[in-house]
Amino acid sequence: MKNLCVFTLSFFLLEFSLILCHLTEPICFWRINNNEDNDGDLRSDCGFFLAAVEGPTDDSYNISDLRIPARRYEFFLVMFFATDEINKNPYLLPNMSLIFPINHGQCEKTLGDLDKIYSEKNYTVEFTDYICVSFGTCFIALIGPSWKTSIKLSINSGTPRVFFGPFNPKLSDHDQFPYVHQVATKDTRLSHAMVSLMFHFTWIWIGMVISDDDQSIQFLSDMREEMQRHGICLAFVNMIPEDMQLYMTRATIYDKQIMESTAKVVMIYGEMNSTLEVSFRRWEDLSIRRIWITTSQWDVITNKNDFSLDFFQGTVTFAHHVGEIANFRNFLQTMNSEKYTVNISESRLGWNYFNCSISKNSNKKDHFTFNNTLEWTTLHKYDMVLSEEGYNLYNAVYAVAHTYHELVLQQVESQQMTVPKGTFTDCQQVSSMLKSRIFTNPVGELVNMKHRENQCTEYDIFIIWNFPQGLGLKVKIGSYLPCFQQSQQLHISEDLEWATGGSSVPPSLCSVTCTAGFRKIHQKQTADCCFDCDQCPENAVSNETEICNLNMERPSLFATKAQ
């Protein structure tokens, strides 16, 4: 009976995904989470350091026995691919190899340990960096994706490093972190993109939940300004404290705020692996159904028990548009198992994409002849999709390679070969060279390590549904192009049928528009989006401005108010 239920669920889920996907642009994502841990997708950080050595290398990489969080397999696969691609390039580091030693504990959950050390000490603690380097040699380290962990690990470090997580202004303080550089693009147009989507779907009554930190507060300020220009109102703002004990004393207040609010759309902004993530998972467990609008780092599978093809249990995410790394697919398919000893099946736990058009001209019954979804997926060509963090890591590896290339040229030209080629002892020189790198990556994107602010950054817009059995479906529903004319900036798929089966998305309103013959009546201390509808006096009716005018025929209609 249990197997029958699972099969039935799988059948409807697959049918739903095929129908939904082929109506949109041909980008669909499917993930199966086989992780039995209750932590789900809770994040942990990874650290690598890169060295340039003379000649080819026969080093092998064995991570099959390491305890690596499921979603961190992507980082190792990116490191394998990027270094392999660079080492095959005869022009970038000729007659040299870019390598990265693998150590136990490279992706451990260090944040909790660091917080414990901080709380127990009343003085500055010089942390032992988990990126081990040879004494006297200045290698470049790669750190991320959590900025909190990275900051704590960088306070007393003189090692040049590239942060590959989402852009964070704290790490741009070069007085405090002179050796830390970011490869991610700054979100200069995110508030514009999100508000454009809200306005498009008539979501003008919005709840907001953010982390209580400087970056989130600045984002809230940007959103307020942009929302006011479009007549969108905030139903509530919850600022989640970073301290877990303080959060737990207020958790029920935050729960009540969301459950009692009439806002059907709630924005989430802040750091993963935090009390904000605890809140988000708590609301999912409480089956609080809302449209959650957030950023790409919140592409998570939650442990849901209920199931409903309902738009109001989806998560809408905004991600920087990135180019497809075409050779990555071939690398994974032809990976040298002797050189890269890795449990490749673990990579299936990340998002995989498939060609949504497979169902356009075929009988859908052909896709449901198997007893489980895993068997179904093995018969389709899936390609692993890089997360934003994975793409940032790819660019970070190339930034290091271009830096080493320039430093080696200086070594050769100056004929100062007192140390082996590729060995650098002046960390300040290495860091200065790194932050000024400008290059075009193999995808064709210009990467500028000195100026990571791009006013024309494009966003892809996705919706994610979580289902029981650890299944997730993610579909691209549109894009935002900030450097186009305003009327052409937002693109939403016109033929998309939503989970409810309808052709339109339900609005999120505090009050519905007053009909002809009625006028708006605002109550004191209420938002502009909230009002009552009052019948116009005799010999007066309202027009589209919802203001009563005299000497006009008044129809007999009744006011309505949003539930």
Side-chain angles (χ1 to χ4, degrees):
M1 182 66 182
K2 181 179 179 181
N3 291 334
L4 178 61
C5 292
V6 172
F7 171 70
T8 302
L9 169 66
S10 302
F11 176 90
F12 284 111
L13 179 57
L14 289 172
E15 182 177 32
F16 166 66
S17 66
L18 289 171
I19 293 173
L20 185 65
C21 290
H22 87 266
L23 292 172
T24 65
E25 298 179 51
I27 300 179
C28 293
F29 302 80
W30 179 269
R31 185 164 71 200
I32 302 174
N33 187 0
N34 295 324
N35 187 1
E36 296 180 358
D37 295 336
N38 292 327
D39 289 339
D41 282 331
L42 285 174
R43 307 301 181 95
S44 57
D45 274 29
C46 289
F48 308 92
F49 77 89
L50 289 161
V53 297
E54 289 194 76
T57 178
D58 296 326
D59 289 357
S60 60
Y61 297 93
N62 185 355
I63 65 170
S64 59
D65 297 329
L66 298 184
R67 190 176 182 272
I68 302 172
R71 291 199 69 186
R72 292 303 173 240
Y73 263 84
E74 174 194 16
F75 293 164
F76 284 89
L77 296 176
V78 169
M79 293 295 295
F80 295 154
F81 169 68
T83 53
D84 181 79
E85 193 175 53
I86 289 168
N87 292 336
K88 290 178 179 178
N89 185 336
Y91 305 105
L92 191 50
L93 288 172
N95 302 319
M96 300 190 72
S97 297
L98 191 65
I99 62 173
F100 67 101
I102 292 180
N103 303 310
H104 286 273
Q106 271 185 296
C107 291
E108 296 295 333
K109 295 181 178 179
T110 59
L111 183 58
D113 295 335
L114 291 174
D115 283 338
K116 184 177 180 181
I117 295 174
Y118 258 109
S119 64
E120 293 177 353
K121 304 292 183 180
N122 294 322
Y123 51 87
T124 301
V125 180
E126 292 193 8
F127 300 110
T128 301
D129 202 330
Y130 60 81
I131 302 169
C132 301
V133 297
S134 301
F135 179 75
T137 303
C138 192
F139 296 125
I140 300 176
L142 308 178
I143 55 174
S146 168
W147 67 269
K148 293 181 181 179
T149 306
S150 299
I151 281 180
K152 293 177 181 180
L153 290 170
S154 301
I155 288 177
N156 297 300
S157 174
T159 305
R161 52 194 61 202
V162 182
F163 175 69
F164 59 86
F167 186 91
N168 189 279
K170 285 184 178 293
L171 292 172
S172 294
D173 184 353
H174 291 297
D175 290 333
Q176 188 173 10
F177 306 107
Y179 294 102
V180 179
H181 311 284
Q182 301 189 71
V183 72
T185 303
K186 185 177 181 180
D187 278 317
T188 56
R189 304 290 291 178
L190 181 61
S191 59
H192 298 262
M194 289 184 167
V195 170
S196 294
L197 183 76
M198 296 174 190
F199 188 76
H200 177 83
F201 287 135
T202 323
W203 295 338
I204 62 174
W205 187 231
I206 309 295
M208 188 172 232
V209 184
I210 64 172
S211 297
D212 190 1
D213 58 50
D214 293 341
Q215 184 176 10
S216 299
I217 293 173
Q218 180 60 52
F219 177 75
L220 171 61
S221 176
D222 295 340
M223 285 298 300
R224 282 186 187 274
E225 181 179 346
E226 193 66 24
M227 291 168 74
Q228 286 176 358
R229 284 204 293 262
H230 289 79
I232 299 174
C233 303
L234 283 171
F236 62 86
V237 177
N238 281 344
M239 300 178 65
I240 307 298
E242 296 180 329
D243 181 80
M244 179 61 74
Q245 292 183 342
L246 179 59
Y247 161 73
M248 291 307 298
T249 63
R250 303 175 180 175
T252 55
I253 299 176
Y254 302 136
D255 298 344
K256 184 178 180 181
Q257 177 72 76
I258 286 189
M259 287 188 289
E260 293 184 354
S261 174
T262 57
K264 297 177 181 179
V265 177
V266 177
M267 190 179 306
I268 304 286
Y269 186 86
E271 178 86 355
M272 293 289 290
N273 218 0
S274 64
T275 49
L276 181 60
E277 182 177 359
V278 173
S279 291
F280 180 71
R281 294 181 181 279
R282 178 185 175 98
W283 298 328
E284 290 282 311
D285 290 339
L286 292 173
S287 297
I288 299 177
R289 294 184 179 179
R290 297 292 184 272
I291 300 176
W292 311 101
I293 301 181
T294 185
T295 55
S296 63
Q297 61 179 314
W298 290 80
D299 287 356
V300 297
I301 289 180
T302 54
N303 299 319
K304 293 187 67 65
N305 296 318
D306 60 339
F307 173 67
S308 173
L309 293 181
D310 183 355
F311 185 86
F312 282 112
Q313 71 169 31
T315 302
V316 177
T317 64
F318 284 74
H320 290 127
H321 177 77
V322 297
E324 179 184 355
I325 306 177
N327 293 332
F328 186 53
R329 175 197 320 166
N330 183 62
F331 176 79
L332 294 181
Q333 293 173 345
T334 61
M335 184 183 294
N336 185 339
S337 59
E338 293 183 0
K339 182 175 182 178
Y340 304 106
T341 307
V342 54
N343 184 359
I344 194 65
S345 64
E346 293 290 343
S347 69
R348 291 288 184 189
L349 299 176
W351 287 111
N352 297 268
Y353 76 87
F354 59 95
N355 185 357
C356 307
S357 63
I358 58 174
S359 63
K360 274 186 175 181
N361 301 312
S362 61
N363 186 350
K364 285 191 282 291
K365 292 182 179 179
D366 295 340
H367 300 292
F368 308 117
T369 58
F370 308 104
N371 292 327
N372 58 71
T373 55
L374 286 174
E375 191 175 352
W376 184 87
T377 58
T378 59
L379 298 184
H380 293 80
K381 293 182 179 179
Y382 277 69
D383 298 313
M384 182 174 174
V385 173
L386 291 185
S387 65
E388 273 197 64
E389 296 156 349
Y391 187 75
N392 289 340
L393 179 60
Y394 177 75
N395 281 336
V397 176
Y398 266 90
V400 174
H402 281 275
T403 300
Y404 285 161
H405 172 87
E406 198 66 29
L407 289 168
V408 169
L409 283 180
Q410 288 188 4
Q411 277 185 331
V412 174
E413 290 174 357
S414 64
Q415 297 182 348
Q416 295 178 355
M417 301 302 292
T418 57
V419 295
K421 187 167 68 171
T423 299
F424 317 108
T425 57
D426 187 346
C427 284
Q428 187 172 359
Q429 179 194 20
V430 175
S431 181
S432 177
M433 189 72 69
L434 173 63
K435 75 177 182 180
S436 62
R437 288 307 87 206
I438 301 175
F439 60 93
T440 301
N441 69 8
V443 178
E445 180 198 19
L446 181 67
V447 180
N448 188 336
M449 293 295 295
K450 192 172 184 179
H451 303 287
R452 295 306 298 154
E453 182 173 310
N454 185 354
Q455 293 290 338
C456 290
T457 298
E458 299 178 8
Y459 292 93
D460 291 329
I461 307 172
F462 301 93
I463 188 165
I464 302 170
W465 283 278
N466 289 314
F467 304 98
Q469 312 300 324
L471 304 177
L473 177 67
K474 172 181 175 181
V475 182
K476 181 178 176 180
I477 62 172
S479 58
Y480 181 76
L481 313 172
C483 284
F484 281 48
Q485 294 181 1
Q486 186 170 354
S487 60
Q488 300 175 343
Q489 290 176 344
L490 181 69
H491 292 263
I492 299 296
S493 179
E494 295 180 356
D495 58 355
L496 178 63
E497 291 186 10
W498 301 91
T500 53
S503 58
S504 62
V505 180
S508 179
L509 305 169
C510 181
S511 303
V512 297
T513 304
C514 296
T515 58
F518 291 83
R519 62 182 175 181
K520 287 183 180 179
I521 299 295
H522 287 277
Q523 304 296 332
K524 291 183 179 180
Q525 297 180 339
T526 61
D528 291 341
C529 298
C530 302
F531 50 84
D532 295 319
C533 293
D534 185 49
Q535 191 170 11
C536 291
E538 292 292 334
N539 299 322
V541 295
S542 64
N543 56 15
E544 64 275 5
T545 62
E546 298 177 326
I547 299 174
C548 294
N549 296 296
L550 296 175
N551 301 320
M552 297 180 64
E553 184 179 354
R554 177 175 53 83
S556 178
L557 295 171
F558 293 95
T560 56
K561 190 172 183 178
Q563 299 299 318

